[in-house]
Amino acid sequence: MRSRADGKDLKVHVTDGRRVTEYRYNILGREKLATPLGDIQTLHVKKVQDPDDKRGFDVWLAVDQHYLPVRIRATEKDGTAFDSLVDSIDSAAKP
């Protein structure tokens, strides 16, 4: 991800395996997120939706865990939604 100079907007290129699409995100700020691992300091980022875009996406990135996503909330164009919350982090190197 690359931040603009004002630190409030991001432009991210994402691939789904078939094409690469540029998305715009707003940085909503830091939030303390309650998880099964305890409270985690996060950076909340939300996709900017155009008026005809029904796909929503929010992600909370763990500030002290290399900005790993610890919560993801997404809504598909048909209204199907999911909300995923971290329950473990294993950063040990594996052989």
Side-chain angles (χ1 to χ4, degrees):
M1 290 185 199
R2 182 170 181 130
S3 177
R4 288 182 13 169
D6 62 11
K8 298 293 182 189
D9 296 333
L10 298 170
K11 288 186 179 180
V12 180
H13 290 87
V14 178
T15 183
D16 63 5
R18 293 178 289 162
R19 62 185 167 265
V20 176
T21 305
E22 182 181 90
Y23 294 99
R24 292 179 302 130
Y25 288 86
N26 282 334
I27 299 172
L28 300 180
R30 291 183 182 240
E31 297 178 17
K32 187 184 296 185
L33 185 66
T35 76
L37 302 173
D39 290 344
I40 297 176
Q41 289 295 327
T42 66
L43 184 65
H44 184 184
V45 179
K46 181 179 180 82
K47 184 180 116 180
V48 175
Q49 289 178 262
D50 293 327
D52 62 338
D53 185 4
K54 295 183 179 170
R55 291 184 175 167
F57 188 80
D58 286 76
V59 63
W60 287 258
L61 306 170
V63 174
D64 296 328
Q65 294 288 338
H66 307 287
Y67 291 92
L68 290 171
V70 291
R71 181 179 180 194
I72 299 172
R73 183 174 56 209
T75 305
E76 295 296 328
K77 64 182 175 182
D78 67 358
T80 304
F82 78 86
D83 197 337
S84 180
L85 183 64
V86 67
D87 61 14
S88 68
I89 295 175
D90 182 3
S91 60
K94 305 219 186 224

